[in-house]
Amino acid sequence: MKNNHSAFPIAFLAIFLYSCSIEEPSEPAGSIIPDIPYIIATLEDDVLTEGPETKTLFQYSNKKLKASWTEGDEIAISPKLYDCINAGTYRVTDPEKGVFECSKAVGATSSTYGVFYPASKIKSTAQYTRFHYEGQVQRADDPQGHMGAYHSMRTQTSDYSSISFSGAKQSSCMRFCLSGMEFDCPVKIELQSIGGSRFYLNNVVSGPFRNYSTDAPESAVLTKSLSLDLEGYGKTDKLEAWMMMSDNDVNLVAGDIIRVIVYCKEKAYCSDISISSNLTLTGGHCHNLTISKNWKERLGDYTKYDWDGEVVTLQEGIEGLDLVIMGDGFIKEDFDNGTYEAIMRQAYEEFFSIEPYTSLRNAFSVYYVKVPSPERTQATTTGANGASNNGHDTRLSCTFTPNSTTISGDHDLAVSYALAALGANANERIQDATIVVMANQECRAGTCYTSWYSGNGQDYGKASAIAYCALGTSANERIELMHHEICGHGFGKLADEYYYSSSSSLNPSLLSNLVQYHAMGLYRNTDRYIDNYIYNALGGAYPLTTKENVYWHDLFGTANSYEQTEGLGIFKGGYTYSFGFCRPTEDGNRSVMNANRGIFNAISRRQIYYRYRRLCGELSGNCYGSAEELASFLEWDATNIMPKIVSTASSRLDAENPSADTGSGSSSGTGSASGEGTGSASGKGVLQTKLPLPSPVLRSGHWQDGRFIAEQ
């Protein structure tokens, strides 16, 4: 297929949207049979109209780019939407009239046929999702010549003698109209997201087109940047470029920045556009991005160093028990003067500075990876709660959400760097690995992103994690961030034990989800809390919570006396909710997963120890909760851990032992947590002036060659 725009001014070419209609063949095809010799597909012949110009962002309308069939075009017709078994092909014989002749007959009848273009690359939905948009090159002497090779379409029909592409899913396009700067021999245009917005590298399938068992591994591949190479350009003060994109809608998030970078022979220039409100770029359309001012020379070092991605082994342990550390926002100078290495080794030591990790240390395999950035992080610390980005350009794109403690980054790129540390079995090991990204910003912020398959059948928390941590405003704060985000969420797969004072939920799905998570080895340090009110509100769907049925029930009454040594009980509030859920210890200052300080309580230590044993091969099957597993943990904990932490925990207890609600499903006054101030976290008698760290982000899917493959 080619773009035919000779009859129209170039300014009219705003929407790359095909719409096709069908003329009946001269001899009717009759009933649905697999040997129809000809198909006639006529492309729409609309007159285009010009829409308003803009100096802001993404002005678009339902305009169409006239296109025509060209010699060699083929359409695939498949009796199965999701695979190419028995797919037939039709090759164009008369491009002007849109006549396609059967070159390979469809091999079977079906109630629904999938229709795909181009047949040379796509004969099924699974192949359609693998159609990607990397490697585009626009030449100065033929600026639209590359577009046809990156255009795809799909539709479905019950009778392929009467195909219509009207309303079909198809590729999108971004049209760049860049001026206000003299570009000296431009060689590449990059479209970059700074924030939570993501673009797609491939097509995305949803609805009836997708077979959930077959197509899920080939679903959305997300990225923070897209690029288009340029060839044959000299000096110019006006640059028009066409970049083909995925068929899927792109959701731009309010507060994010869209950056356009033009790389020239010797320099690079960029312009930033702030997204003031949520914006959707509709799939299958062409979107105009017009920039005429606010260009600035892109500063920073963009040299590719030979040592970029180099792996340093900090300790060798058991393969599969992997901790990989890297940094973001560190420039070459930080590597030359030893700053980067010092922070990597500091993170390494601080990870193991708390039990039970201190006692388990020798079994871990630990690495750090050298990741240089063009610029240092230039965020602005916002008091006690995080930072605000300031347009900095860092390798892993760590971004701070204003007025929160959240960090996001380029997960795919972080995983790609981590894979280099994990050797021949990297794709397998990465599924359980803990990745640490130290963001070069002195503020209080951290977020853990956990990736797991809901159907993996394992009970130890088989899931990878990417934990982003800022450097903190003090050494103590940095350590607290690391223990909570990396040790707790990252490796331990533990939930937050605090709650927001204003948050509550009786959503049954939240209650049932937690049961599922427990079975998978996630969030075992919190549980449902069903009191009389919730019991009645939900019609008795869940039993009242007692010490006989709470998730950590088998830790009560043991020889380790956790009730006395660390105040084990049932305390209303946890999992970020003020009711409906509970936590095992009361005082936030005694629990890392509550107020980020103190110790990992008994149920948390048990989960960490169990996950450790499964990953290092001491246990080969699902046995959490068995008598043997419990006895083993109690003995190990009493021998190796409790002598080190009991004195610390006891010193933090009030003179009067706290009273826990362990006998009924109702909350006692002393058994509930208290928090003061809006959005504060719970902690007995402790005024929380800081926002709590965000809950871990769960993503269902797995990693393959540095890309996240979503489970849908």
Side-chain angles (χ1 to χ4, degrees):
M1 186 173 289
K2 67 180 179 180
N3 307 311
N4 182 6
H5 53 82
S6 59
F8 306 97
I10 192 70
F12 286 7
L13 310 179
I15 297 293
F16 193 72
L17 179 62
Y18 295 93
S19 182
C20 311
S21 59
I22 304 298
E23 295 180 5
E24 291 293 329
S26 56
E27 296 188 7
S31 60
I32 303 174
I33 55 176
D35 59 351
I36 299 173
Y38 293 97
I39 293 175
I40 299 177
T42 306
L43 293 171
E44 190 174 57
D45 189 16
D46 285 349
V47 177
L48 311 181
T49 58
E50 175 70 356
E53 290 295 327
T54 177
K55 304 295 185 192
T56 55
L57 178 65
F58 304 126
Q59 180 69 35
Y60 57 93
S61 62
N62 290 326
K63 294 180 289 184
K64 304 174 180 69
L65 177 64
K66 182 176 173 64
S68 62
W69 299 114
T70 189
E71 185 177 352
D73 280 343
E74 287 187 328
I75 296 172
I77 299 176
S78 175
K80 292 188 177 182
L81 298 177
Y82 47 86
D83 66 44
C84 57
I85 297 174
N86 293 316
T89 56
Y90 286 75
R91 179 181 291 268
V92 69
T93 57
D94 190 333
E96 184 176 350
K97 296 181 179 180
V99 179
F100 287 76
E101 183 178 1
C102 179
S103 53
K104 180 185 177 183
V106 179
T109 60
S110 176
S111 60
T112 303
Y113 297 88
V115 185
F116 304 95
Y117 173 86
S120 60
K121 298 180 180 179
I122 306 171
K123 292 183 175 66
S124 69
T125 300
Q127 292 177 348
Y128 183 83
T129 63
R130 287 193 289 268
F131 190 90
H132 67 86
Y133 297 87
E134 299 172 289
Q136 297 180 58
V137 181
Q138 175 173 311
R139 298 191 303 273
D141 59 353
D142 187 12
Q144 293 187 327
H146 64 288
M147 297 171 69
Y150 291 90
H151 178 228
S152 63
M153 295 189 295
R154 65 175 174 88
T155 190
Q156 63 181 12
T157 183
S158 60
D159 182 352
Y160 64 90
S161 68
S162 182
I163 297 172
S164 176
F165 278 101
S166 180
K169 291 287 290 184
Q170 63 175 330
S171 306
S172 309
C173 180
M174 182 67 74
R175 178 193 179 211
F176 298 92
C177 299
L178 311 178
S179 61
M181 170 64 67
E182 184 174 83
F183 304 108
D184 187 6
C185 301
V187 296
K188 184 171 74 172
I189 295 174
E190 183 177 356
L191 181 65
Q192 189 179 93
S193 162
I194 301 176
S197 302
R198 297 291 188 271
F199 305 106
Y200 296 89
L201 287 175
N202 64 326
N203 290 330
V204 181
V205 174
S206 60
F209 263 87
R210 187 169 64 83
N211 177 277
Y212 281 74
S213 61
T214 304
D215 297 336
E218 305 297 340
S219 54
V221 180
L222 299 171
T223 181
K224 292 179 71 73
S225 66
L226 299 171
S227 63
L228 170 70
D229 288 337
L230 305 173
E231 288 186 355
Y233 286 84
K235 289 185 179 181
T236 179
D237 59 1
K238 293 184 179 180
L239 183 59
E240 183 178 59
W242 306 81
M243 183 171 69
M244 300 298 291
M245 300 170 60
S246 166
D247 68 341
N248 203 49
D249 293 353
V250 175
N251 297 313
L252 302 180
V253 181
D256 286 359
I257 293 173
I258 298 299
R259 174 173 292 168
V260 175
I261 308 168
V262 180
Y263 296 89
C264 298
K265 181 174 62 176
E266 295 181 352
K267 296 182 179 181
Y269 303 93
C270 66
S271 183
D272 292 345
I273 303 168
S274 298
I275 307 299
S276 58
S277 59
N278 292 343
L279 176 66
T280 298
L281 307 181
T282 307
H285 290 236
C286 181
H287 309 283
N288 287 322
L289 202 167
T290 302
I291 300 176
S292 61
K293 58 183 179 180
N294 297 327
W295 292 100
K296 64 179 181 180
E297 185 177 342
R298 199 180 184 214
L299 303 176
D301 187 354
Y302 299 95
T303 306
K304 173 68 176 178
Y305 303 105
D306 292 338
W307 45 267
D308 188 351
E310 180 180 314
V311 177
V312 177
T313 301
L314 295 173
Q315 69 176 55
E316 293 184 354
I318 296 172
E319 183 177 302
L321 194 61
D322 300 307
L323 178 68
V324 184
I325 310 169
M326 63 192 72
D328 187 50
F330 297 88
I331 64 174
K332 183 177 182 296
E333 179 183 347
D334 299 320
F335 291 84
D336 292 341
N337 62 24
T339 298
Y340 186 87
E341 180 178 10
I343 291 175
M344 298 298 101
R345 292 186 177 274
Q346 179 177 269
Y348 162 54
E349 294 295 338
E350 290 172 352
F351 179 88
F352 294 106
S353 67
I354 189 171
E355 293 288 3
Y357 293 98
T358 304
S359 297
L360 303 175
R361 174 173 182 159
N362 291 339
F364 280 79
S365 297
V366 187
Y367 317 89
Y368 81 77
V369 187
K370 298 180 180 180
V371 183
S373 290
E375 298 177 349
R376 283 197 181 100
T377 307
Q378 299 172 16
T380 301
T381 298
T382 55
N385 300 312
S388 296
N389 279 50
N390 192 28
H392 55 254
D393 185 10
T394 63
R395 186 73 175 107
L396 299 178
S397 302
C398 279
T399 304
F400 303 87
T401 302
N403 302 313
S404 83
T405 55
T406 300
I407 306 178
S408 63
D410 191 331
H411 311 321
D412 287 6
L413 189 54
V415 167
S416 296
Y417 274 107
L419 288 171
L422 301 182
N425 299 321
N427 274 319
E428 178 181 350
R429 292 169 67 177
I430 201 69
Q431 313 304 333
D432 287 309
T434 302
I435 301 169
V436 180
V437 179
M438 301 301 298
N440 190 16
Q441 178 68 30
E442 293 182 350
C443 70
R444 182 174 174 272
T447 309
C448 182
Y449 298 81
T450 299
S451 303
W452 67 309
Y453 255 145
S454 60
N456 63 46
Q458 301 297 321
D459 72 346
Y460 66 89
K462 181 174 178 57
S464 65
I466 305 173
Y468 297 90
C469 276
L471 301 183
T473 59
S474 67
N476 285 338
E477 188 170 79
R478 181 187 64 252
I479 293 171
E480 290 178 359
L481 291 170
M482 293 198 59
H483 288 172
H484 185 96
E485 294 296 336
I486 304 170
C487 299
H489 291 320
F491 183 87
K493 313 304 178 192
L494 302 173
D496 291 305
E497 294 174 8
Y498 65 80
Y499 66 86
Y500 296 95
S501 60
S502 60
S503 73
S504 62
S505 177
L506 290 179
N507 187 341
S509 65
L510 288 174
L511 300 174
S512 60
N513 284 345
L514 188 57
V515 176
Q516 179 192 19
Y517 296 154
H518 284 166
M520 304 278 302
L522 305 175
Y523 304 161
R524 285 172 169 157
N525 60 320
T526 57
D527 199 6
R528 299 176 300 185
Y529 187 82
I530 309 300
D531 59 12
N532 289 316
Y533 172 77
I534 298 176
Y535 181 87
N536 293 325
L538 298 180
Y542 303 94
L544 294 171
T545 299
T546 71
K547 71 175 183 179
E548 282 74 35
N549 64 15
V550 76
Y551 196 76
W552 48 90
H553 65 91
D554 55 359
L555 294 179
F556 291 116
T558 70
N560 291 358
S561 300
Y562 293 123
E563 299 95 316
Q564 287 72 46
T565 57
E566 52 192 80
L568 183 72
I570 306 172
F571 300 94
K572 181 181 177 181
Y575 199 51
T576 76
Y577 294 95
S578 59
F579 69 93
F581 299 91
C582 60
R583 63 192 188 279
T585 50
E586 184 177 19
D587 189 349
N589 285 329
R590 294 190 206 112
S591 175
V592 171
M593 302 315 296
N594 194 333
N596 310 329
R597 61 181 69 94
I599 65 172
F600 286 107
N601 53 41
I603 182 65
S604 298
R605 298 198 300 275
R606 182 181 180 183
Q607 164 61 14
I608 293 168
Y609 183 58
Y610 181 72
R611 189 163 192 268
Y612 158 87
R613 295 187 73 195
R614 288 293 306 272
L615 288 173
C616 66
E618 291 184 8
L619 299 173
S620 59
N622 295 343
C623 59
Y624 187 90
S626 67
E628 292 78 9
E629 179 270 329
L630 174 62
S632 177
F633 165 72
L634 292 175
E635 180 182 3
W636 176 83
D637 197 48
T639 302
N640 297 280
I641 308 301
M642 292 185 68
K644 302 176 185 178
I645 67 172
V646 166
S647 60
T648 302
S650 297
S651 69
R652 295 180 180 239
L653 292 172
D654 297 334
E656 182 178 351
N657 197 44
S659 173
D661 173 25
T662 60
S664 71
S666 63
S667 172
S668 68
T670 57
S672 62
S674 63
E676 300 181 39
T678 303
S680 65
S682 65
K684 183 183 178 183
V686 179
L687 177 63
Q688 303 294 319
T689 60
K690 303 175 181 178
L691 290 175
L693 298 174
S695 297
V697 180
L698 282 183
R699 305 190 307 160
S700 184
H702 72 283
W703 295 100
Q704 183 64 43
D705 299 325
R707 290 180 176 177
F708 182 71
I709 309 299
E711 178 188 27
Q712 298 187 15

